[in-house]
Amino acid sequence: MAKSRPPRSEIPPTAGLPPRWRDLSPFAGNAPHHGDLARCAADFLGVEEVQVECSGTASLVVALTAMHRLSGRRAVIVPAYTCPLVALAVAHCGLELRLCDLAPGSIDFDAAQLARLCDRDTLAAVPTHLAGRVADVGTALAIAREAGAFVIEDAAQALGARRGGRPVGLDGDAGFFSLAVGKGLTTFEGGLLVARDAPLRRELARTSREIVPYRFGWELERSLQLLGYHALYRPSLLGLAYGAPLRRALRRGDPVAAVGDDFSADIPLHTLGRWRQSVGARAFARLPSFLQTCTAQAMRRKTRLARIAGVTLIDDPADAAGSWPFLLLRLRDEATRDAALRVLWGAGLGVSRLFIRALPDYGYLQPFVGEHQVPNARAFAATTLTISSSPWLDDEAFEAICTVLQTVATAA
Ligand SMILES: *Cc1c(COP(=O)(O)O)cnc(C)c1O
């Protein structure tokens, strides 16, 4: 929208681990752990076992189904600002969705409201490590335990994030990571499910065997999509795959389509095939050093952003070291944020938005969500924007973004 001509190169909105053609070798035998993705993920996280599912959403469906079987309870408490797929997963399981507002300017639950929402029918609360930031699971856990409820950590955006030296996802009862496009390491779609205690892990595995079938059609489709991703994930071609549709959506004034928030209520549930698992297994070898690069860059850029008045970087608690798929910034107000986006969104610089709305404000979620007063979630949606942590966004381009942020901040 800012530029009439499309940019020559396109920075992706998140730091995807750059794919390598050799990841695609059909010979799983020469991949680490013979292409066993669960084993590679468990090594990376330093845990005994990881359960592989076809998406983050599917991981949540499996966890909720298993927990519902164990406790019989029905209410699931999720942040009022999160991925709409989380709400759809709860609906898919036939469970009751309860929204909890965020604390002001934070990704964490409003603790007082969470305590009010927890009761004897509460199955689980889902604290969420949004944007790779490390959420306050301890408080959510204390409140949920009081009511006898489970805690599931949504770490879909936080593979590699740690707190107190341990990976996120293991302080609650269960946690999940997403391997979808745009979340870092990808099998085009995929999910990793972890649980702290072995008995619950066995229940999660049993539930998965019961409700998740093999589907040839889905595996074929995802395999072709993964090949397409390998072909197009480079600055010279991302304009075609990502930039052009983005700019079309912005021109029609459809921000939900621009960020791909327009999800279908049909949640695919199928096993993740062997070949895609071996692609992911090979990619895991490059993940630690890639995450280090992204973190070092984020630390430098954090210092730069701190010099811009009216811009707040959403950061981690002192004992935490999150992952940095992108930088999540809060601006003074919606008008300032929108002024920045008019220049930067669609300019090919990797500036974007996270989820466009608070959950009650998506039309297609109305049947599951209903009316809610969630002012902090709405303010978060209205005042935040994201800057990619992709290493392809060089310092010069980042400085250009900072200049725009500075200009709109002073104009306000
Ligand atoms: C992406 C995402 C999910 C869902 O993960 P998929 O792998 O896309 O199904 C859940 N929660 C959050 C916060 C996410 O960003």
Side-chain angles (χ1 to χ4, degrees):
M1 45 206 299
K3 300 195 173 169
S4 43
R5 274 180 308 132
R8 257 194 314 261
S9 73
E10 185 85 35
I11 307 299
T14 61
L17 174 69
R20 294 276 179 274
W21 286 114
R22 61 176 177 276
D23 290 354
L24 302 180
S25 162
F27 305 109
N30 58 27
H33 295 302
H34 302 282
D36 185 340
L37 177 60
R39 209 53 265 151
C40 293
D43 281 1
F44 171 80
L45 293 169
V47 300
E48 269 172 59
E49 273 177 283
V50 170
Q51 186 169 320
V52 171
E53 298 293 345
C54 68
S55 67
T57 309
S59 308
L60 180 58
V61 165
V62 168
L64 290 173
T65 305
M67 289 170 177
H68 175 62
R69 286 173 175 185
L70 290 171
S71 84
R73 295 176 175 210
R74 300 188 23 108
V76 182
I77 304 174
V78 312
Y81 183 76
T82 188
C83 180
L85 286 168
V86 171
L88 294 175
V90 175
H92 173 97
C93 296
L95 298 168
E96 179 202 334
L97 185 69
R98 287 188 192 164
L99 300 190
C100 182
D101 202 1
L102 305 177
S106 162
I107 63 164
D108 290 317
F109 284 127
D110 173 331
Q113 193 172 116
L114 180 63
R116 282 198 300 280
L117 286 168
C118 276
D119 61 20
R120 288 190 340 214
D121 195 33
T122 304
L123 175 62
V126 187
T128 301
H129 303 287
L130 211 59
R133 307 286 43 81
V134 175
D136 180 4
V137 177
T139 301
L141 197 59
I143 295 169
R145 281 286 181 272
E146 192 79 16
F150 289 104
V151 165
I152 304 172
E153 290 179 53
D154 179 343
Q157 303 183 358
L159 184 60
R162 302 174 83 81
R163 177 165 210 164
R166 280 168 16 109
V168 299
L170 294 161
D171 287 328
D173 300 287
F176 65 95
F177 304 91
S178 168
L179 305 183
V181 164
K183 311 253 172 144
L185 186 155
T186 188
T187 49
F188 202 83
E189 294 278 5
L192 304 172
L193 180 57
V194 295
R196 198 184 43 206
D197 297 331
L200 182 59
R201 281 206 296 272
R202 282 195 292 278
E203 287 303 316
L204 295 173
R206 190 217 312 257
T207 302
S208 183
R209 281 195 300 276
E210 281 174 30
I211 70 170
V212 180
Y214 172 74
R215 290 259 188 266
F216 177 76
W218 274 114
E219 193 53 39
L220 182 64
E221 182 171 338
R222 295 294 185 234
S223 298
L224 294 172
Q225 287 169 319
L226 184 57
L227 284 172
Y229 173 81
H230 273 246
L232 295 173
Y233 200 81
R234 54 203 77 225
S236 56
L237 292 176
L238 264 175
L240 213 66
Y242 165 71
L246 163 69
R247 284 179 277 278
R248 270 201 304 278
L250 291 177
R251 274 197 301 274
R252 1 178 248 282
D254 186 350
V256 171
V259 299
D261 266 0
D262 36 5
F263 297 106
S264 148
D266 276 331
I267 295 170
L269 272 187
H270 56 96
T271 53
L272 201 153
R274 247 205 242 140
W275 175 68
R276 283 198 297 141
Q277 289 206 30
S278 76
V279 176
R282 285 194 184 82
F284 255 108
R286 298 193 302 281
L287 187 62
S289 77
F290 179 72
L291 289 174
Q292 257 171 24
T293 306
C294 293
T295 300
Q297 180 186 261
M299 293 303 115
R300 285 198 310 276
R301 292 183 174 176
K302 178 163 125 175
T303 317
R304 172 68 184 93
L305 289 167
R307 303 209 312 266
I308 308 177
V311 170
T312 310
L313 175 71
I314 309 292
D315 206 348
D316 286 328
D319 61 340
S323 59
W324 296 90
F326 47 84
L327 305 168
L328 178 59
L329 311 186
R330 195 156 50 80
L331 272 62
R332 196 167 3 232
D333 51 38
E334 184 169 18
T336 315
R337 193 278 310 268
D338 287 347
L341 286 178
R342 268 193 294 280
V343 183
L344 296 170
W345 206 3
L349 292 170
V351 172
S352 183
R353 284 173 67 179
L354 196 46
F355 313 115
I356 298 300
R357 307 187 202 291
L359 293 184
D361 302 331
Y362 289 98
Y364 69 91
L365 288 183
Q366 277 306 310
F368 320 112
V369 174
E371 284 296 312
H372 281 272
Q373 291 306 316
V374 286
N376 298 335
R378 286 189 168 122
F380 203 86
T383 56
T384 50
L385 61 78
T386 60
I387 305 176
S388 178
S389 293
S390 168
W392 295 335
L393 179 70
D394 60 24
D395 289 341
E396 194 185 333
F398 181 73
E399 194 48 44
I401 294 170
C402 289
T403 305
V404 172
L405 292 176
Q406 215 140 17
T407 311
V408 298
T410 16

